[in-house]
Amino acid sequence: MTVPSSNGPAEIRVFGIRHHGPGSARALLRALSAFEPDTVLIEGPADADPVLALATGEDMTPPVALMAYARDEPGRAAFWPFAAFSPEWQALRWAYLHDADVRFCDLPAAITLADDRDPEAAGRGDLLGELARSGGYDDFEQWWDAVVEHCRDTEDVRTTGTDETAVFDETALFDEITEAMRVLREGVELDAYTARREAHMRQVLRATVKAGARAIVVVCGAMHAPALTGKLGPAAPDARLLRGLPKVKTNLTWVPWSHSRLSLRSGYGAGITSPGWYHHLFTEPADTTARWFTRVARVLRKEDLPVSSAHVIEATRLADTLAALRGRGAAGLEEVTEATRAVLCDGDDVLLDLVMRRLVVGEALGAVPEETPTVPLDADLQRQAKSLRIKRAATAKSVDLDLRRDIDVRRSHLLHRLMLLDIDWGTPAESAVRSTGTFRESWTLVWRPELSVAVVEAARWGTTVEAAAHATVLDRARRPGTSLGEVTELLERALLADLRRAVPALVTAVDAAAALDHDVLHLMTALPTLVRTVRYGDVRGTDLSSLVHVVDALLARTCAGLPAAVTGLDRDAADTLRTAIDEVHVALAVREDPEATGRWLDVLAAVSEREDVDGLLTGRTTRLLRDAGRLDEPHTALRVARALSVGSTVTAKARWIEGFLGGGGLLLVHDRSLLRLVDDWLRGLGDEDFLDVLPVLRRTFGSFAFGERRLLGRAVRGERTPAPRAESGLAVDRGRLAVAATARILGVTA
C-alpha cells in the first residue's frame, strides 16, 4: 500500500509470516530482495533495539532468544526466540547486510512484563486453525507444512509474467494469506492484549512514515497482517488504547536457546512440532528428502543398528511415492515419518521416537557473542566454565569426576555452588564405574535455556559464583525457623562447594539450632550428617574442630533422650526411629571414637532389654549389639528364644524377627542354633497366624541377597555348603609372575 506524507508517498508492504517457518522465511528473503526496502519493522519488543546489532556478530549462532527481565524482580522474564529458519531472524540479518534501517515494532518488554503474560501465547489462536480446516487439514501446522513450507520454488504454485518469464510471486503469496486472515477475523472480537499490540505496531508504522522512510516492510505474524494493511486511520484511538499502561524497568539481552524449547512439547505458545525438520528444510533446499534419511541413518547407526545405504534409497523412494499419491509436490514430514517407520525402523515405534527426539525436534543449542550484555554472575560463570572446559549443551552428558585431579575438584566445587544457587546445570548421578572410593563424583550435565533466568535471579547474591553461593548459604541458615536438619545439610553442602569462609558461621548456626531442638529424632537425623562433615573436612584440610564439640553434645543428648523416645510409638514411628538408629550406628562406626561408640552401645543395651518397646526396635538393637561384639552367641540365642516364647503375640514375634534379621541373613547361615530357633517358630505357626505374619516375613527375607537366600534354603533342607575343591598342587611359577606384576603396579620391590 502507498501512504501519503509531507515528504512524498511511502510504500508499505506487510508480510504476514508463520513464526519459525522455513518456507515463509525463504519466501520473505526473495520478497525483500525484490522490493529492497529502506526500513524493516519486525514483530518484537520495541525496547530491544539497542541489542539488535549483536545479531550480526559472527559468534551469534541461532537458535537464540531475546530475554527481557524486570530489574527489581529478575524471576519475571520473557523470551522472544529465533531460529535460523525464523522469518524474523532472516529479515533482521537481511536488513543489516543491505544497510536498511531495522527495528522492532511490538509492545515494549517493559509493558509486556508488567502485563505478566507470555508474549508469544497470543500468536496463533483459533483463526489459524480455521484457516487450516478450510483447506482440508486437521490443524494449522499440517496446512502450513503442505501449502507453504514445501512449495519452495515450484513454478506452478503462484507465478506472474508470461510463460517464458514466469517467476514465483512472493507478494501474491503474502497478499493471499493476509486476505484469508482478514476474512477469518471478520466478526471475531480480539482480546485486549492483542488489540494493544496491533495499536502499538500501527503507531510505530506511523512514526516510521513520518520520519521519512519511503519503502517500508512490516514482518509480523499472519494473524496481525490485516490490522496493518490498508489505511492506517487516525492515530487518536490507538493512542488512547496505549495510554496509561503499566510498565516495569527492564533489561534486555540475548541468550542461547534450543530447538527442543522451540517445540510445542515444551509448552512454548508459538512453538512448532518439528524444529529440527524445519531447520533441515531451510538449510538443505536441494535433495532434501535423501539428505534427511542420511541423517536418520547416521543416528540409528550410532545406536549400533544395521542401517545401510540401501535402506536410505528405499526410504527416499517410499516418501516420494507417498507424496505423489497424495498430490503433493514434495515429501513432507508426514511422508518421511511414515517411510522412516516402515523402512529404517522396521515398524518399531521406540526407534521412531528416538528419531523424533534427536532429529525431528532436535537438540541444537545456540550461542551468543562474548560482548553480549549480561549480569556479572553470568560472566563469571562463563569464564569458569571455559577455564574448566565445561561446555553448555542441550543434550544430557554424563561426567565422572576424579577428585584426586585438581581440575575435577574445581569442577565439583563449581557444580555444587551452582546447585546451592538453584542453577541446576548439573545433577548428581549414579556412576557407571564401579567404585567404593570417596574420590569419585558422577554428574549429569544439561543446559536448559531457562537456566539463564536462574542465573539472573541468583545475581542478586553476588558478582561471582563463589560469592553468591556464600551469601545464599548464610541467608538460608539465618532465616527464622530453619531447622537443625536444614542447617546441617547446608553445612555439608557448603563443604562440598568449598565455601570455607561460610563454615564458622554455619557451625555456630548448627550449635544454636541444636540447643533449641529437643526432639530426639531430629537430633539423631542430624548426627550422621555432622559426622560425615567432620570426616569430610578433615580429608580436605578444613578446620572443623569447633564442630566436634557440637557432635559430642548432640550424641550426649541423644543417648539421654533415646530410652524415653522409644516408648509409646506406633508402627510408622517405630520404623522411622529404627532407620535413624541404623544411620547413627553407621556414622559412629565411621567416626572411630571408642568412647562415643561405647556410650552409644550402652544405650542400645538398655533399649534392647525393655519390654515396653516395639519389637522392631528391641530386635534391631539386639542385632546391632551382636554385630558389635557386645553379645556372644549364647546370649544372642537366649534373647531370640525369649522373643519367640509363648508369652508374646505372633505379630510381636514377627516384628522382633524383622528388626533382628532386617538387612542381612548371613547371621542365620553361620549360626545354626539361631536358624533352628527361627525355623522351629515358623513351623509351629498355625495357618491363620502364618497368614498374619506373612507380609512381614516376606519383607524381611526379601531384603536378603540372592546368595544369602540360597544358602539359607540349603541350611533349612539340611544340605551342607559345598566346600571348594582342593587343587592338586600350586603353580608356583605362575604365582611369582603375578606377584611381580602386582609389585610393579604398586611401585615396590617384590
Side-chain angles (χ1 to χ4, degrees):
M1 66 180 175
T2 302
V3 178
S5 69
S6 58
N7 298 323
E11 187 173 359
I12 301 174
R13 295 189 182 181
V14 179
F15 296 142
I17 50 87
R18 163 68 170 117
H19 295 298
H20 318 304
S24 54
R26 195 177 295 109
L28 177 63
L29 286 176
R30 287 193 289 259
L32 289 171
S33 297
F35 182 50
E36 296 185 349
D38 56 37
T39 303
V40 178
L41 302 180
I42 301 174
E43 180 184 326
D47 47 358
D49 290 343
V51 297
L52 281 186
L54 291 170
T56 62
E58 294 182 359
D59 296 332
M60 180 73 82
T61 306
V64 293
L66 271 173
M67 181 180 74
Y69 60 91
R71 295 178 189 174
D72 299 330
E73 190 181 350
R76 176 177 291 189
F79 297 92
W80 288 263
F82 300 89
F85 49 83
S86 300
E88 302 94 329
W89 179 260
Q90 291 302 323
L92 178 62
R93 301 278 294 186
W94 185 94
Y96 275 108
L97 290 174
H98 293 81
D99 295 325
D101 187 19
V102 59
R103 52 185 179 271
F104 286 144
C105 60
D106 204 347
L107 279 177
I111 296 177
T112 300
L113 291 178
D115 194 75
D116 196 21
R117 73 171 66 209
D118 182 1
E120 298 293 346
R124 295 184 61 160
D126 294 331
L127 295 181
L128 300 182
E130 290 292 335
L131 181 61
R133 285 187 285 275
S134 67
Y137 290 84
D138 294 335
D139 58 40
F140 176 77
E141 193 72 38
Q142 291 182 4
W143 178 86
W144 192 276
D145 187 65
V147 175
V148 179
E149 304 306 342
H150 295 289
C151 70
R152 292 194 289 273
D153 296 317
T154 54
E155 296 180 356
D156 59 340
V157 181
R158 287 171 188 83
T159 59
T160 60
T162 63
D163 292 340
E164 293 79 9
T165 61
V167 295
F168 193 86
D169 189 352
E170 310 296 352
T171 303
L173 169 65
F174 288 113
D175 288 346
E176 289 183 17
I177 292 173
T178 300
E179 184 59 31
M181 296 305 303
R182 188 190 308 279
V183 173
L184 291 173
R185 283 171 60 122
E186 291 179 356
V188 176
E189 184 178 356
L190 299 179
D191 62 276
Y193 180 66
T194 302
R196 288 193 293 269
R197 292 180 62 193
E198 294 178 351
H200 191 275
M201 293 181 193
R202 286 191 293 268
Q203 289 288 66
V204 173
L205 188 52
R206 292 187 183 99
T208 303
V209 173
K210 186 176 180 179
R214 289 293 155 269
I216 305 171
V217 161
V218 180
V219 179
C220 62
M223 192 184 78
H224 303 297
L228 305 176
T229 56
K231 293 184 178 180
L232 293 177
D238 289 338
R240 285 195 299 269
L241 195 59
L242 297 172
R243 187 179 299 123
L245 293 179
K247 296 181 180 181
V248 296
K249 294 182 179 180
T250 59
N251 288 335
L252 290 103
T253 186
W254 291 97
V255 296
W257 208 248
S258 67
H259 278 171
S260 60
R261 290 292 287 126
L262 285 171
S263 172
L264 280 172
R265 297 182 182 182
S266 69
Y268 172 40
I272 53 180
T273 58
S274 51
W277 166 251
Y278 275 10
H279 181 82
H280 179 77
L281 282 180
F282 189 76
T283 57
E284 301 289 349
D287 298 325
T288 303
T289 307
R291 292 176 184 272
W292 174 261
F293 285 123
T294 301
R295 295 181 60 195
V296 173
R298 189 177 297 117
V299 168
L300 295 176
R301 285 172 181 170
K302 286 184 179 180
E303 301 297 325
D304 295 328
L305 296 171
V307 179
S308 66
S309 57
H311 287 88
V312 174
I313 296 171
E314 186 59 32
T316 305
R317 288 175 177 171
L318 177 57
D320 290 340
T321 301
L322 289 173
L325 289 173
R326 293 165 180 169
R328 299 179 180 177
L333 180 60
E334 184 178 359
E335 287 76 30
V336 298
T337 299
E338 292 178 13
T340 300
R341 178 190 284 110
V343 179
L344 298 175
C345 297
D346 292 328
D348 190 336
D349 285 338
V350 175
L351 294 181
L352 181 64
D353 181 68
L354 173 67
V355 174
M356 296 293 288
R357 286 186 288 105
R358 296 276 183 86
L359 291 181
V360 177
V361 174
E363 298 167 332
L365 181 69
V368 299
E370 292 185 359
E371 62 269 20
T372 302
T374 185
V375 293
L377 178 65
D378 192 27
D380 180 66
L381 174 57
Q382 294 183 38
R383 179 188 59 78
Q384 290 196 52
K386 184 177 181 180
S387 173
L388 298 175
R389 299 193 292 275
I390 304 177
K391 294 183 178 180
R392 297 181 180 183
T395 55
K397 179 182 179 181
S398 297
V399 177
D400 285 321
L401 302 181
D402 186 343
L403 300 183
R404 294 170 296 185
R405 301 173 56 205
D406 177 67
I407 187 171
D408 281 352
V409 170
R410 290 189 288 125
R411 287 170 177 165
S412 172
H413 292 162
L414 175 62
L415 294 174
H416 280 292
R417 290 169 182 174
L418 292 177
M419 286 185 64
L420 285 168
L421 294 170
D422 294 327
I423 305 172
D424 298 328
W425 185 0
T427 54
E430 291 291 334
S431 174
V433 180
R434 289 183 173 271
S435 174
T436 58
T438 59
F439 58 83
R440 184 179 298 279
E441 279 186 358
S442 296
W443 297 80
T444 299
L445 303 182
V446 56
W447 183 267
R448 303 183 307 279
E450 53 267 30
L451 290 179
S452 299
V453 179
V455 173
V456 174
E457 286 188 283
R460 64 192 178 97
W461 296 109
T463 58
T464 66
V465 176
E466 180 180 3
H470 176 271
T472 191
V473 162
L474 295 185
D475 178 77
R476 293 181 189 179
R478 293 166 179 168
R479 290 176 186 171
T482 303
S483 67
L484 174 61
E486 292 171 339
V487 179
T488 55
E489 181 186 3
L490 282 173
L491 176 58
E492 185 176 32
R493 295 178 64 184
L495 285 170
L496 291 170
D498 195 32
L499 302 176
R500 303 190 183 195
R501 293 188 298 112
V503 169
L506 290 173
V507 171
T508 302
V510 169
D511 197 7
L516 297 175
D517 200 328
H518 303 288
D519 191 309
V520 174
L521 183 59
H522 291 173
L523 301 178
M524 295 177 68
T525 303
L527 258 176
T529 302
L530 292 176
V531 171
R532 286 195 305 268
T533 300
V534 171
R535 296 283 293 180
Y536 189 91
D538 289 342
V539 171
R540 284 155 180 78
T542 306
D543 183 13
L544 293 175
S545 56
S546 57
L547 188 59
V548 174
H549 85 275
V550 177
V551 174
D552 291 336
L554 283 181
L555 179 60
R557 293 175 59 193
T558 298
C559 292
L562 184 59
V566 296
T567 60
L569 301 178
D570 58 18
R571 287 198 172 192
D572 292 339
D575 291 341
T576 303
L577 190 59
R578 173 241 175 130
T579 302
I581 289 174
D582 283 346
E583 292 177 351
V584 172
H585 191 78
V586 171
L588 291 176
V590 171
R591 187 183 179 189
E592 297 181 347
D593 184 338
E595 182 179 352
T597 302
R599 192 184 317 136
W600 170 250
L601 292 177
D602 290 341
V603 175
L604 295 186
V607 172
S608 68
E609 296 176 352
R610 301 204 19 198
E611 298 181 356
D612 57 343
V613 178
D614 189 296
L616 182 77
L617 298 177
T618 54
R620 192 59 187 166
T621 52
T622 300
R623 174 63 181 273
L624 294 178
L625 292 169
R626 169 71 174 78
D627 292 344
R630 280 290 188 97
L631 290 177
D632 55 19
E633 292 186 6
H635 284 88
T636 303
L638 180 62
R639 291 203 177 187
V640 174
R642 186 172 61 188
L644 300 178
S645 62
V646 179
S648 302
T649 65
V650 174
T651 303
K653 296 174 184 178
R655 290 281 287 175
W656 198 96
I657 288 296
E658 181 183 5
F660 183 73
L661 297 179
L666 285 179
L667 182 63
L668 294 180
V669 173
H670 297 295
D671 194 330
R672 295 302 176 92
S673 61
L674 292 181
L675 178 61
R676 283 194 299 271
L677 287 172
V678 176
D679 187 39
D680 290 342
W681 170 65
L682 286 174
R683 288 190 297 175
L685 292 175
D687 293 342
E688 293 184 2
D689 291 340
F690 182 77
L691 292 176
D692 289 340
V693 301
L694 184 59
V696 176
L697 296 175
R698 279 182 172 174
R699 183 168 63 246
T700 302
F701 287 89
S703 65
F704 297 169
F706 172 76
E708 294 176 349
R709 294 198 302 269
R710 183 176 57 183
L711 292 175
L712 277 175
R714 288 177 177 174
V716 170
R717 290 192 299 268
E719 301 176 7
R720 291 186 177 181
T721 303
R725 291 181 299 175
E727 298 290 341
S728 56
L730 298 175
V732 178
D733 294 337
R734 296 177 64 187
R736 287 173 179 168
L737 292 175
V739 171
T742 304
R744 285 197 298 272
I745 293 172
L746 297 177
V748 298
T749 303

